[in-house]
Structures are given as C-alpha cells and as structure tokens.
Amino acid sequence: MSANVTLILVAAALIGCGVYLVLERSLTRVLIGVVLIGNGANVCFLVAGGRAGGAPLVGETPEGQMSDPLPQALVLTAIVISLATIAFLLAMAHRSWQLNGHDDVQDDVEDAAIRRRAATEDADDEFSGHRDSDVEVFEEEGAS
Amino acid sequence: MNALVPLPVILPLLGTGATLMLSRRPRIQRLVSMSVLAAVVVVSGWLLYAVDRHGPQVLWVGGWPEPLGISLVADRLSALMLVVSSLVTLAVLAFSIGQRMTGEDQEKTPVSVYHPTFLVLVAGVSNAFLSGDLFNIFVSFEMLLFASYVLLTLGGTEPRARAGTIYVVVNMLSSALFLVAIASVYAATGSLNLAQLAQRLPTLDPQVSLVLQLLLLTTFAIKAAVFPLGFWLPDSYPTAPAPVTAVFAGLLTKVGIYAIIRTQTLLFPGSALTDLFLWAALVTMIVGILGAIAQTDIKRMLSFTLVSHIGYLVLGVGLATPTGLSGAIFYVAHHITIQTALFLVVGLIEFRAGSTSLLRLGGLARLSPMLAILFFVPAMNLAGIPPMSGFIGKVGMLQGGLQQGSALAFALVIGGVVTSLLTLYAVVRTWSLAFWRTPEQARDLTATLPEMGREAGVVAEGADVVAHRGHVHVGPVTVGVRELEEAMRLQSDEEPDRDLYQLLKDDDLPHRVPRAMAVPALALVGMSLVFTVIAGPLYAYTDRAAHDLRTPSVYVDSVLSGSRR
C-alpha cells in the first residue's frame, strides 16, 4: 500500500495544533483542540484507505479503481460520535460559565492544595508571582 | 444457541427506548428497567453455561458472509465478565431505585434521564465484552462513555461540572488515540476483525506490530487507569451520586482491563512486554495505595484503592502465564463485585450519617451495627484476608509471579504483599475512625485541628488557612490543609455545616436505612462471599478461560470456521 504524504502531514498538523489548544486553560479552546485532534484522526483513516478511486459501486467503477469504502464508513461513524461529544462539551462549558462566570478548567482538588502551598512558599511561588507581575505590566501598558 | 449472543446488548437498548417513552410513568419505567436487567442476567448465565459446554459462540450480525460483517463472540472470558457485570448492574439499579424512592431531598435528579442512560451504559459494557471487531469495541466504548458523561454530571452542580470536565476531556483524547490506533491497524493489515487480525498481525514487521500494540495498550491503559495514565480517576469518581460511582468503579476500568487482556492475548501473543507490564503494575499498586492512605474521605480513599488494585490485574496480565492470567480473571470478577459493594455501602453511610468525611463520622457501629458489618466484610475482602476471595485471587497471581521467577517478578510479589497490607491499614483506619470511636471523640479530635493550626501559627484568627507545603506540622502530628479547612468550617457557627455529633444532638438524622437500599448492598456483599464458597469451580473455570486465551486458535477457529452452531 502506498501512503499519501500530504494527508499524513495534514493529519500531523491538525493533531499538533489540537494538542497545543488542549493544553490551554479555557474550555472553549480545549474544545477546539479536541475537534482538531478528532479531525486529524479522521484524516488518518483516509490515509489508511489507500489510494483514492471511483465510487465503490458495482457497474459504475471497474473493480480495480474503486476506493476503499470501509474507512469512509468508519469516519462517518466517528464524525457522528464526535458531533455528539462536542455538543456535550459545549453544554459543559456553558454550565461552567453559568456557575463560575468563566469556562476555565478548574483545578483538581489535590492540585488546588499544591497551588495554595505554592502561594505561601517562598521558593515555590514563581508561578503565581509571574502571573501577578504579568498582569501588572499589562495594566500599566494599558493605562499609559 | 448463538442467537443468545446479541441479547445482552439488544435488551438494554430496547429497554432504553421503552424507558424513554415511559418517562412520565416512573413506576412502569422502574419495572421495565429492572426486568430488562434481570433478563440480561438470565441470558448471560445461559451463555456462560453454553460457552463452557460447547465452546465460543459466534454471531455474524446481519447475516453477512463471514469475514465481511461484524462478529459478536462470547468465549469463556467474556461470558464470565457478562455474568458478573449484569449481576452487579442489577444490584446497583435496585439500590438507586431504593435511594430515589425515599430521598426526594437527596439528589435533584431527573429520573426520566437516569434509567435510559443506565441501560445504555449496560448495553455498552456488554457490547465491549462481546465484540469481535476492533471498531465495534470503539463504538461500545463510546456508548458506555457517553452514558457515563451524563451520569457523572447529573444535576450539573459545581463539583460535578468540575470533575466532569476533566473526565470528559481525558476520555475524548483517549478515544481520539484509539481512532488513530484503529486507522493504523487497518492500514497495516486491511482488517479490523479480531480473528483476522490474529492471523495477519504475526506476518507484519515486528517493529510495526510493536507500534500498534503500544498504541492500543496506551488507549486501554487510560480507560483502565493504569499508572501513569490514571490520575483522572480519583478526582472524577467521588463527586458522582453513590450508585453511579459504584457502577463506574466496578465496571468501567474493568472494561479497559478486559480490552487489554483480549488484545494482548489474541493479537500479540508473541510479544508479551512482560517487563513494561510489571513495572506499570508495581508503580500503580504502590502509588495508588499511598494515595488511599492520605485521604480523609471514604469515597476518595476507595477510589485510590481502586487504582491500586488495578495493579494486581496488570500484574496477572503481564505475566502472560496460565497461572497469572487465570488469577487475573478470577480477580477481575472478585474486584468488580467487591468495589461496587463497598461504594454502595458508602452510599448507605452517606445516607445514614449525612457525610463520608472521616472528620465528621464516628460511632456508626453503635448507630447502625448492620452497616458496620456490611462495611467490614467487603473491606476485609478487599484487603485480602484469608479465606475470602480477595486472598484467593491474590495468591493465584503471586504464585504466577513466583513461577516466572525473574527479579522483577519477585519485586512484584513483595510489592503485592505490601500493597495488600497497606490496603488493610487504610480500610482498618477508616473502619476504626468511622465506626469505632464515639461521635464525641470525632468532634473533639476535629476541634483540635484549628487549635493546632493556631499553635503552629498558620491559622490567624479570622484569616484563611495558610499552611506549609499543603500540610500543617504540629510536633509529631501532620494535618492536611483541606482537612483543616473542613474542621474550621465545622467549628464556625455561621455556616450551617454540621458533623455527625451535631446531627445526632439535633436529632436530625434519618432513623434507618430503607430496606430497598440495604438489600442490594447486602446482596452484593453476599455475592462476594459466594465467590469464596465456589472458588474451586470458579478457579477451574478461569483456568479453562486462561487456557483458551493462551491458545488464540480456539478463538480464531470458532469465528472463522464457517460452521454455525
């Protein structure tokens, strides 16, 4: 089987961008990231289907030139499933916005404890310190 | 006979439709879903008998000619998993019906959603156990995951939305990874049927085959919460309603384990990856149980023991010897039952005492001796006290480790024993705190926490809790910040947050646990004891199942033979 390099690159780019977005805090961005990763996976199926060809209908296309219909059927199933999941995640983001006024992914309970510790510990407070100073710089620029 | 095979999937799905239509008639809805699950139990039992007697039962869905359609296969392993899972789901459904009938104030749950979703979950789990096709496994994962998303976020409260977000995102990513794995398998072999894959994968370049194996393994390890892919579990499970947590803890991770067993033994019998499995098992066990010891909430403690005991299963699978596999299958059956039973009992504790936090509980043994026994028996079973089934399963797997004889396997045997002892410590500590001390002692001890915080200078009057490295050290005593905050909440008069002592004083407790909740929990505890009684025949059965798994030709020949039984 010969693989289509363009499709592989497209899939890699989609999944790479998706991973970047999933690492963000905001649930909406995570959502877009998940969409990209899902589409990247679907493109992988097209690669798996081998060379593109005519419609796989007997009588329409000679047998040797048909494209493989199975991966396309699988992709359809995957698209339907990801549609439903994305609708659910959107609802979650909306609910989070209703409850908290933002859609940031909340910390794990243990993580929150560690974060609190970082806020008080001199050696460990770089993360929150950076955050604060960034905000200040930004505000000063905005003011000037 | 093979017409029985699809019934465990079809019946719950039909039940879903029926219960959706009956959403305005709760009584009939309950009747329908209970009878559907009871029917699934009967069918699965029958399948177990048929499979053990006549070999694997195969059905090509839709009557397509043989390698084209989707096959459903019931062999010894999947039949056993079906029987155990259907019994457990029946008990959990009965429990949740009992909880809902009595506690209108407990959960503001739309009942009309609960029953259909639960039945979809059952259908997904059954389908995962039965499918003989990689993509069908993906579809059944999505079925059960979708049901679990809805069940986990029932009511949409703040903690559930938080826990649900992490759970949904993690599982979506693992699904995407699974899709990539499936696409790669298809590209490499041109088939997704497990039996055909078993024939074609060995002909591939070993390097390609290894990549496929690792892709599938990673996907299933996320579902099964194997270290280091299991960090999502202890945070997302405890916030759900008790019966939901119970069924998740019992079944969902085990579906992942089942998929690992199936793919490893059937598709990649030549490449056991024993070292990788054993390391993962060791770290999963130890990290999980250390997490459990640190918890002050019974639900969180149990979630961590769940992760920890997944390690035993991974050990059994990784050994890939008949003894190890047989022990793992036995232990899966035992662990589904025991973990579900424990979470149901915790649901009873929450109902009876208003909380599952160890800071608030005390004297439950006097308040409700029945509850004490109900918790004690499965807790000891979890820790593996002889002669209960937990002990028997562990002995089987540790024996497998000793037979294998490598240094790592010996380390695993020691790690397994240590984990078992630490599990004993964790549950005994929980038992003595929640059941044995008096509510006054609980209150006094909790009251000392803010005092100690003040002495250590970390709690200023009226200020938020500030602590050192997430803990407060006072002399030899160490207290977690979360516990300190909870203790301060209990002390303050402003917030209407009361512990068991105050609830008892105000006489504000439900007087007894309703029988409709107690009976299902009791039944599951009884079922876990039955495993001990029938351990001999059951072990003989799992030996046969392990033998089948070790000879993939049994599976392949029955799927692709062309003969219809």
Side-chain angles (χ1 to χ4, degrees):
Chain A
M1 191 195 86
S2 61
N4 185 331
V5 178
T6 323
L7 282 182
I8 292 179
L9 287 178
V10 168
L14 282 173
I15 292 179
C17 295
V19 168
Y20 178 79
L21 283 172
V22 164
L23 296 175
E24 292 276 328
R25 268 271 157 179
S26 153
L27 195 51
T28 344
R29 292 186 184 205
V30 172
L31 180 84
I32 298 173
V34 171
V35 173
L36 288 183
I37 292 178
N39 285 339
N42 291 344
V43 174
C44 287
F45 270 105
L46 288 185
V47 180
R51 263 160 43 86
L57 297 173
V58 178
E60 191 124 320
T61 320
E63 259 185 38
Q65 294 166 22
M66 287 181 185
S67 59
D68 187 350
L70 184 66
Q72 301 180 9
L74 301 183
V75 167
L76 271 182
T77 317
I79 287 176
V80 173
I81 291 173
S82 63
L83 170 78
T85 337
I86 286 158
F88 191 83
L89 252 191
L90 269 179
M92 297 267 294
H94 180 67
R95 183 69 187 152
S96 169
W97 180 76
Q98 273 185 332
L99 288 167
N100 305 320
H102 57 78
D103 68 343
D104 284 1
V105 177
Q106 301 290 302
D107 279 331
D108 184 302
V109 178
E110 306 289 339
D111 281 356
I114 296 169
R115 178 71 61 85
R116 254 197 313 272
R117 159 201 127 186
T120 54
E121 187 83 354
D122 287 341
D124 286 353
D125 64 356
E126 285 155 29
F127 179 59
S128 53
H130 266 300
R131 260 247 167 116
D132 291 348
S133 59
D134 285 351
V135 170
E136 276 167 23
V137 169
F138 185 70
E139 278 169 356
E140 278 166 19
E141 282 169 357
S144 62
Chain B
M1 194 63 93
N2 62 4
L4 282 177
V5 175
L7 285 183
V9 185
I10 293 177
L11 286 177
L13 282 181
L14 289 178
T16 308
T19 46
L20 264 180
M21 284 193 290
L22 293 168
S23 57
R24 288 176 194 285
R25 324 262 315 254
R27 188 173 295 227
I28 306 179
Q29 199 188 25
R30 289 196 289 266
L31 191 70
V32 167
S33 47
M34 282 301 282
S35 43
V36 161
L37 287 189
V40 173
V41 171
V42 174
V43 170
S44 316
W46 195 350
L47 258 181
L48 182 83
Y49 172 77
V51 164
D52 199 32
R53 201 72 191 277
H54 307 293
Q57 301 291 313
V58 184
L59 181 87
W60 289 87
V61 178
W64 289 89
E66 224 167 64
L68 289 183
I70 292 171
S71 59
L72 292 180
V73 188
D75 69 345
R76 288 202 171 99
L77 172 64
S78 41
L80 179 67
M81 298 292 279
L82 269 180
V83 169
V84 177
S85 73
S86 55
L87 282 170
V88 161
T89 44
L90 182 66
V92 171
L93 188 73
F95 181 94
S96 48
I97 288 174
Q99 188 179 22
R100 238 146 287 265
M101 283 206 283
T102 52
E104 260 74 39
D105 54 324
Q106 282 232 321
E107 306 280 350
K108 295 269 178 280
T109 315
V111 182
S112 56
V113 179
Y114 185 82
H115 286 269
T117 322
F118 194 86
L119 290 177
V120 172
L121 183 82
V122 176
V125 171
S126 309
N127 198 26
F129 291 152
L130 286 173
S131 44
D133 184 285
L134 210 50
F135 197 76
N136 202 17
I137 294 185
F138 169 76
V139 171
S140 42
F141 273 179
E142 290 303 311
M143 276 163 75
L144 66 91
L145 282 178
F146 239 94
S148 71
Y149 299 158
V150 175
L151 290 175
L152 193 72
T153 52
L154 272 182
T157 57
E158 207 266 326
R160 284 185 196 164
R162 181 188 63 75
T165 312
I166 297 170
Y167 180 78
V168 173
V169 171
V170 167
N171 278 302
M172 284 180 81
L173 288 179
S174 83
S175 297
L177 190 63
F178 196 4
L179 274 181
V180 174
I182 291 175
S184 318
V185 169
Y186 186 79
T189 62
S191 173
L192 291 176
N193 187 292
L194 290 179
Q196 278 191 316
L197 288 178
Q199 291 174 333
R200 294 186 191 178
L201 279 168
T203 62
L204 288 182
D205 182 357
Q207 308 255 313
V208 177
S209 160
L210 183 66
V211 169
L212 299 179
Q213 184 180 11
L214 288 176
L215 269 175
L216 288 174
L217 196 58
T218 314
T219 314
F220 298 142
I222 296 176
K223 313 268 186 214
V226 177
F227 184 91
L229 304 167
F231 285 122
W232 54 272
L233 191 145
D235 195 51
S236 53
Y237 277 14
T239 51
V244 172
T245 316
V247 74
F248 282 15
L251 291 179
L252 297 198
T253 48
K254 307 308 182 305
V255 175
I257 288 288
Y258 167 83
I260 291 180
I261 297 180
R262 177 63 77 208
T263 50
Q264 292 305 306
T265 55
L266 184 60
L267 304 186
F268 307 100
S271 139
L273 293 182
T274 303
D275 280 5
L276 179 70
F277 271 102
L278 294 192
W279 276 113
L282 184 63
V283 186
T284 310
M285 281 184 203
I286 301 291
V287 170
I289 202 61
L290 290 181
I293 289 172
Q295 301 303 316
T296 52
D297 187 286
I298 307 181
K299 277 188 182 176
R300 289 184 69 88
M301 191 276 288
L302 286 178
S303 300
F304 272 101
T305 60
L306 168 63
V307 174
S308 166
H309 285 233
I310 293 292
Y312 285 105
L313 302 172
V314 177
L315 162 65
V317 180
L319 288 173
T321 57
T323 327
L325 269 179
S326 170
I329 299 169
F330 184 89
Y331 202 77
V332 170
H334 146 83
H335 198 242
I336 291 178
T337 320
I338 208 75
Q339 200 75 42
T340 316
L342 274 171
F343 271 107
L344 285 189
V345 173
V346 171
L348 292 179
I349 294 176
E350 193 173 20
F351 182 86
R352 188 74 175 88
S355 170
T356 56
S357 164
L358 289 176
L359 294 176
R360 297 157 186 248
L361 296 177
L364 278 174
R366 166 172 286 187
L367 195 65
S368 173
M370 189 65 191
L371 204 53
I373 296 169
L374 270 184
F375 184 80
F376 189 75
V377 172
M380 288 300 115
N381 201 343
L382 183 74
I385 298 294
M388 289 195 247
S389 51
F391 171 74
I392 300 168
K394 277 173 192 154
V395 163
M397 275 178 292
L398 298 185
Q399 236 173 8
L402 288 177
Q403 278 173 8
Q404 207 244 5
S406 68
L408 188 57
F410 274 115
L412 249 296
V413 171
I414 295 169
V417 174
V418 169
T419 308
S420 187
L421 288 174
L422 288 176
T423 311
L424 183 63
Y425 170 74
V427 292
V428 164
R429 174 174 158 273
T430 306
W431 200 82
S432 62
L433 286 181
F435 289 90
W436 206 243
R437 62 178 179 175
T438 62
E440 290 80 9
Q441 280 174 332
R443 180 163 179 76
D444 292 345
L445 197 69
T446 308
T448 58
L449 292 187
E451 295 281 326
M452 285 172 15
R454 265 179 224 111
E455 275 175 36
V458 288
V459 183
E461 289 288 344
D464 281 348
V465 177
V466 179
H468 178 75
R469 287 193 175 277
H471 286 91
V472 180
H473 300 280
V474 185
V477 192
T478 312
V479 189
V481 177
R482 206 148 39 87
E483 288 75 59
L484 192 60
E485 281 177 344
E486 191 169 352
M488 286 178 68
R489 244 192 349 266
L490 286 175
Q491 294 288 303
S492 79
D493 301 327
E494 293 149 23
E495 295 180 61
D497 203 1
R498 291 176 294 177
D499 60 8
L500 184 61
Y501 175 75
Q502 285 158 307
L503 286 170
L504 276 176
K505 210 170 64 179
D506 300 350
D507 202 17
D508 211 5
L509 282 173
H511 285 288
R512 45 186 288 279
V513 172
R515 196 168 292 155
M517 283 167 79
V519 169
L522 187 65
L524 271 188
V525 174
M527 184 174 149
S528 69
L529 291 179
V530 168
F531 277 136
T532 314
V533 179
I534 62 163
L538 188 60
Y539 232 109
Y541 180 89
T542 59
D543 277 342
R544 290 197 291 278
H547 177 262
D548 285 358
L549 290 176
R550 297 262 300 153
T551 37
S553 57
V554 174
Y555 186 96
V556 175
D557 290 346
S558 56
V559 176
L560 297 176
S561 66
S563 68
R564 308 239 157 187
R565 266 178 281 260

